[in-house]
Amino acid sequence: MLTPNDAHPEKTIVTQLRAYLAQTDLPEDGRLPPERELSAALGVSRTELRKALDVLESEGQLWRHVGKGTFVGSRPLDTFADIAALARRSNPAEVMRARLVIEPEIARAAAFTATPAAISEMRLCLARSRQADTWRQYEGWDTRLHRTIAEATQNSLLVGLFDTLNAVRRAVTWGRLRTAPLRPLPSHHSFTEHEMIVDAIEHRDMAGAATAMRTHLQTVERKLLEKQMRAANEG
């Protein structure tokens, strides 16, 4: 008489593989042993093992890199193809919501660790953004300011998260939302808001830096949504 496991051998192998991964001390990079070793350790054929690996990969438990092996966890976001795929699924409003989650905390961390050199770089970005002759120039200095704040955290993972988010931001239909005039007016909201962020960072005001960044991004989000509504009405 067949047992449930006998009737579904693939499920049994997947269960074995899950147990193996839970109990085995893998290398720091999470790489699994070669298929030959892993199939021997589980007592299954390499074909059966590959089917079980496919199941866990489809669940997001594993990822594979041709020529390097199979790794535990989600595939890292490290290629332009990944960025492009994210951008295709995203939009400016979604990017803004992600920025509101991440960037205030980056500003908070920067207020704790920023060096005098980092503060000087932020001040340069503020000055040059006010002098910009075009939106493109302004946006270049705006991006440089936000990245300088991320770098001021002295945390490579936070900088990586910022760079990924910024790459997606640049890839979505952002520029199309810009309208006249050709350059930011002296009264442009970001000038004062950026000053408040940098002032808080310089004064080691962690809560103030986070609040100032959140206020700034909320204003950007509101302006963005207003432009989208106007464009929809005009269309």
Side-chain angles (χ1 to χ4, degrees), residues 37-225:
E37 295 179 20
L38 192 51
S39 60
L42 296 176
V44 300
S45 70
R46 293 179 69 173
T47 299
E48 292 171 324
L49 172 63
R50 287 180 187 135
K51 290 180 179 179
L53 291 172
D54 286 342
V55 171
L56 295 192
E57 184 177 20
S58 69
E59 295 176 354
Q61 302 299 314
L62 303 172
W63 66 279
R64 291 165 172 169
H65 190 299
V66 177
K68 292 188 177 181
T70 302
F71 301 81
V72 173
S74 301
R75 179 182 297 276
L77 188 67
D78 62 355
T79 69
F80 288 114
D82 294 324
I83 296 294
L86 272 178
R88 284 194 297 271
R89 297 195 299 270
S90 190
N91 57 69
E94 188 172 88
V95 171
M96 282 307 313
R97 289 193 292 274
R99 292 185 71 186
L100 278 162
V101 171
I102 295 171
E103 291 195 55
E105 296 310 309
I106 287 178
R108 184 193 303 275
F112 184 70
T113 57
T115 64
I119 299 296
S120 295
E121 177 71 13
M122 293 177 204
R123 294 291 181 194
L124 173 65
C125 293
L126 294 177
R128 293 296 174 83
S129 66
R130 285 183 179 273
Q131 298 165 3
D133 292 324
T134 65
W135 277 109
R136 182 178 294 275
Q137 288 180 7
Y138 165 78
E139 288 166 354
W141 286 107
D142 174 75
T143 298
R144 182 165 168 179
L145 171 64
H146 283 267
R147 193 178 197 281
T148 300
I149 293 171
E151 291 171 349
T153 66
Q154 301 181 46
N155 185 311
S156 59
L157 182 55
L158 288 177
V159 174
L161 287 171
F162 172 85
D163 284 344
T164 299
L165 180 55
N166 190 54
V168 174
R169 181 183 71 84
R170 292 168 63 89
V172 298
T173 55
W174 206 261
R176 299 176 192 174
L177 297 171
R178 289 296 187 196
T179 58
L182 297 178
R183 56 170 292 177
L185 295 173
S187 59
H188 184 55
H189 67 90
S190 287
F191 294 142
T192 301
E193 291 167 0
H194 283 162
E195 292 276 1
M196 293 178 67
I197 295 167
V198 175
D199 284 348
I201 292 173
E202 186 171 21
H203 288 94
R204 305 296 184 194
D205 182 357
M206 296 172 66
T211 298
M213 180 65 81
R214 185 175 297 105
T215 298
H216 167 56
L217 294 176
Q218 286 171 337
T219 303
V220 174
E221 181 182 41
R222 186 175 67 254
K223 299 286 187 182
L224 171 65
L225 294 176

